[in-house]
Amino acid sequence: METNACPKTWMVESILVTIFCCLPFGIAGIVYAAKVSSLYASGKIEEAEAASKNAGKWTKIGFIVGLIVIVVYTIINISAVTALMNA
Amino acid sequence: MQYAPTDSHPKARFYYFFKEKLQITNETFIFTQANRIFKNITMEYYISRNDRKEGPFTLDELPEKRIVPDTLIWAVGYKEWKQAKDVPELESILYSTPPDIPVQKPMPKTWLVESILVTLFCCLPFGIVGIINAVKVDTLYYGGFYEESLYRSKQAKKWILWGVIAAAGCVALYFFFLLFLFLFESNSYI
């Protein structure tokens, strides 16, 4: 079945990832996210879908990397605090 | 004439009635018939220009009249005025000289690199707005939306500028703060 609806832009998600998780991957997400709607507006629906997929991919990568960084940072902090308390 | 209807004949009355009403002679009647037969040779055209009717002109006279594709043309048999480009026999006149070369407008500056740099080093929120606008410039340009592309380019430039101004303001405030702190501390020691 062929649908002509505009594919998901991932704009909000990629901006949130840029601000809170991982800036470089978030920017890549924003770049693709911004292309989705303008490609769709110029009738290039397949390219818009490809851009949407790329935006989703980079947003997810950024989210996971950001999550890992935050978790690792928290673990290091906790272990440092416990080490200081033990000393 | 042997076969001419007599005046008393019903057909004759019909004939004279129309001859009188339409004020046509046998000659003009023959001429209009011939006109229809040799339409392409004797067809006469009227031109509408600046709300004024000009003509009639023959097909041979038309090239001197500087007709453009949207000049309005009328000839016998046309229900309404037609644009010259819709009249097939005028094609050779309209397209005998080369048309204006289409002006290729260059793509507006995308500002993508600048906006990413602003996002990284100056001001994240304004930089993001800059990136969103910057990315749309080229896709809109290649999609044929030149005006929108130009608008996005200007928007990107504007937000980059605000990002730089915001960053410069922050740095300036920081140094003023340091300066005041230094002055205050040096005063307290005296």
Side-chain angles (χ1 to χ4, degrees):
Chain A
M1 199 184 87
E2 196 160 318
T3 51
N4 285 330
C6 184
K8 187 172 162 62
T9 63
W10 291 95
M11 184 61 93
V12 177
E13 292 88 340
S14 57
I15 290 174
L16 291 177
V17 164
T18 308
I19 295 171
F20 295 112
C21 297
C22 179
L23 198 134
F25 294 146
I27 287 178
I30 290 175
V31 167
Y32 284 114
K35 280 190 182 200
V36 174
S37 63
S38 47
L39 279 172
Y40 179 75
S42 28
K44 297 169 186 168
I45 293 165
E46 282 177 20
E47 288 176 46
E49 273 164 10
S52 172
K53 274 181 191 166
N54 268 326
K57 186 180 81 182
W58 288 113
T59 306
K60 284 168 198 160
I61 290 173
F63 181 71
I64 292 163
V65 170
L67 210 64
I68 291 168
V69 168
I70 290 166
V71 168
V72 169
Y73 181 75
T74 317
I75 290 168
I76 289 170
N77 261 1
I78 289 168
S79 54
V81 168
T82 45
L84 278 174
M85 284 172 84
N86 288 341
Chain B
M1 287 270 279
Q2 200 181 349
Y3 296 107
T6 54
D7 287 358
S8 58
H9 196 274
K11 264 190 183 174
R13 261 183 271 155
F14 188 74
Y15 176 74
Y16 288 122
F17 171 78
F18 273 100
K19 205 173 171 185
E20 203 179 321
K21 274 283 180 197
L22 300 174
Q23 292 185 329
I24 53 167
T25 59
N26 287 335
E27 287 77 34
T28 54
F29 180 73
I30 290 162
F31 180 71
T32 45
Q33 288 292 8
N35 228 358
R36 280 178 194 161
I37 294 161
F38 304 107
K39 213 173 179 180
N40 290 332
I41 302 164
T42 55
M43 193 84 160
E44 286 176 330
Y45 297 89
Y46 291 86
I47 304 169
S48 170
R49 195 175 279 159
N50 305 325
D51 297 328
R52 282 184 59 199
K53 188 176 77 176
E54 293 174 31
F57 305 115
T58 64
L59 204 56
D60 297 332
E61 287 171 325
L62 283 179
E64 298 152 23
K65 305 299 171 194
R66 286 181 287 112
I67 297 172
V68 290
D70 55 358
T71 306
L72 290 173
I73 303 283
W74 186 86
V76 176
Y78 288 11
K79 208 171 177 183
E80 287 168 343
W81 289 85
K82 286 182 187 177
Q83 291 195 326
K85 66 183 177 215
D86 297 329
V87 182
E89 60 264 32
L90 298 184
E91 264 181 21
S92 59
I93 299 168
L94 280 176
Y95 306 118
S96 59
T97 51
D100 295 338
I101 297 164
V103 181
Q104 278 285 334
K105 289 175 185 169
M107 186 167 81
K109 189 169 164 55
T110 64
W111 298 99
L112 186 58
V113 177
E114 290 87 344
S115 56
I116 290 175
L117 290 176
V118 165
T119 309
L120 290 175
F121 299 112
C122 296
C123 177
L124 195 133
F126 291 168
I128 288 177
V129 179
I131 291 176
I132 292 169
N133 283 301
V135 170
K136 286 177 191 278
V137 172
D138 74 326
T139 44
L140 284 171
Y141 176 77
Y142 289 117
F145 302 101
Y146 179 77
E147 295 297 319
E148 288 172 45
S149 169
L150 194 67
Y151 171 75
R152 290 291 174 188
S153 175
K154 281 177 185 167
Q155 288 288 102
K157 188 182 173 183
K158 185 179 87 180
W159 286 109
I160 289 166
L161 202 66
W162 280 116
V164 171
I165 289 170
C170 284
V171 172
L173 272 179
Y174 179 73
F175 277 107
F176 273 119
F177 177 72
L178 279 188
L179 191 69
F180 279 116
L181 208 66
F182 173 75
L183 286 176
F184 177 74
E185 288 209 344
S186 55
N187 273 347
S188 66
Y189 283 123
I190 292 169

